[in-house]
Amino acid sequence: MSNAAAITVRDLDRAEVSAVIENHVGDVFDTGQVAVTVPCYVNHDTEGVILRITSGGTGILTVSVDAGDNFPNKGALETTLPIASVTEGETTTITYQTKYIRLDDAIRHLTSGATYKGYFNLTLTPAESTTLVAWVECIKLNQPH
Amino acid sequence: MANATSGTVLDFDLAEVSAAHAPGDVCDTGSSAVTIPYEIGHDCDGVVFVIRSTSTVALKAEILKGTNANSLLASKGSVQVAAIGAGNSTPQVYILRCDDPARHLITDTVKGYINLRLTPNSGTIACTIWCIKLNKPR
């Protein structure tokens, strides 16, 4: 049990099919009752980013894409996911809530930081006195090569 | 229990967030191929399909070749996905990107649409599909 240290970026070219994403999840967050901030390295050559956020927790999950420092930076984007209550699965029961976030202008959220690879920070905040249970999938829409 | 007969399109503007648990379109009946039309329209920057397998039966997903005669672009061949693995214990997700949907559009109606075909492999189909339309800036 540990939280992912960074968000895995899945590159998707035009008219391309991704690899299987097992367990409908991506990066796992399942530890602690405090907010977690992780970087998502997308670079600058993107036509957009789609985040698929799934919450399996017993409280409301707050998700925010932090404002970056890369001019012209943009304010943080924040949303919440309700308590997991949707059950799905034929032989395995999974209870969850899912939202999608489109970041078409990801560059405005980018933090230049100490690396050449621009990134944005994603913050997941569990409800008070509840444990973080979330999965994050990041799809980067590549520019044409 | 029934298969979706038309697809739900999630319209996304710039930096937009979907509703909680956009439920997606469910196919859970029968062992033959299912074709679902997704009414896209022409005004978008691309389409992303997220397909989640939830049973012991693997399946194949295809974005079918369009017949958009009005497009300056030649219609494009189908985008085919290798089998999506059985997802009984660990549901699996495939993601397809259709960046130039005009090439896949069927134009029998005023609003162009894309046909998505799902074919189960020896067994009952069981999957959920989300269609994310990337709107152009207004």
Side-chain angles (χ1 to χ4, degrees):
Chain A
M1 304 273 283
S2 64
N3 294 327
I7 300 298
T8 304
V9 177
R10 296 179 183 275
D11 290 76
L12 208 54
D13 288 337
R14 293 190 176 205
E16 190 179 324
V17 176
S18 77
V20 165
I21 301 171
E22 294 184 351
N23 200 18
H24 90 97
V25 287
D27 298 304
V28 180
F29 298 85
D30 60 1
T31 304
Q33 298 186 346
V34 297
V36 174
T37 298
V38 290
C40 185
Y41 292 92
V42 295
N43 284 320
H44 300 265
D45 55 340
T46 171
E47 292 188 320
V49 171
I50 296 173
L51 295 172
R52 183 172 191 260
I53 314 287
T54 301
S55 172
T58 56
I60 294 171
L61 174 70
T62 301
V63 179
S64 61
V65 178
D66 298 345
D69 65 6
N70 188 30
F71 181 83
N73 64 320
K74 195 167 183 176
L77 174 70
E78 185 171 295
T79 187
T80 58
L81 275 77
I83 296 169
S85 62
V86 178
T87 302
E88 189 175 318
E90 189 168 82
T91 57
T92 298
T93 298
I94 297 171
T95 304
Y96 67 97
Q97 289 279 355
T98 297
K99 270 189 177 180
Y100 293 90
I101 297 174
R102 177 186 179 186
L103 287 179
D104 193 77
D105 43 3
I107 196 168
R108 294 190 180 185
H109 291 280
L110 287 182
T111 298
S112 49
T115 170
Y116 292 109
K117 293 184 177 180
Y119 63 95
F120 64 83
N121 280 319
L122 181 73
T123 298
L124 304 172
T125 307
E128 187 174 357
S129 301
T130 67
T131 299
L132 181 62
V133 182
W135 303 272
V136 178
E137 193 69 46
C138 175
I139 305 158
K140 175 185 173 185
L141 305 176
N142 287 339
Q143 287 183 343
H145 294 297
Chain B
M1 309 290 273
N3 295 329
T5 55
S6 63
T8 304
V9 178
L10 303 174
D11 281 83
F12 275 74
D13 288 335
L14 301 184
E16 192 176 326
V17 178
S18 79
H21 182 61
D25 301 309
V26 175
C27 287
D28 60 4
T29 305
S31 56
S32 54
V34 176
T35 299
I36 306 173
Y38 282 86
E39 191 173 284
I40 303 296
H42 299 264
D43 53 341
C44 76
D45 281 338
V47 175
V48 174
F49 288 96
V50 178
I51 302 169
R52 181 167 169 235
S53 167
T54 55
S55 81
T56 57
V57 178
L59 62 99
K60 179 177 71 176
E62 301 166 273
I63 296 172
L64 299 184
K65 182 177 181 177
T67 56
N68 188 0
N70 295 324
S71 173
L72 295 176
L73 304 171
S75 59
K76 197 167 183 176
S78 63
V79 177
Q80 189 171 105
V81 187
I84 300 176
N88 56 321
S89 59
T90 54
Q92 298 193 32
V93 175
Y94 250 110
I95 297 170
L96 293 77
R97 179 181 181 186
C98 182
D99 195 77
D100 43 3
R103 294 188 180 187
H104 293 282
L105 287 180
I106 312 292
T107 54
D108 293 346
T109 62
V110 175
K111 294 183 178 179
Y113 60 93
I114 291 174
N115 277 326
L116 176 70
R117 182 164 66 194
L118 303 164
T119 307
N121 181 18
S122 299
T124 301
I125 192 169
C127 64
T128 305
I129 309 109
W130 293 269
C131 174
I132 300 169
K133 175 185 175 185
L134 306 175
N135 288 338
K136 286 184 175 177
R138 298 179 194 281

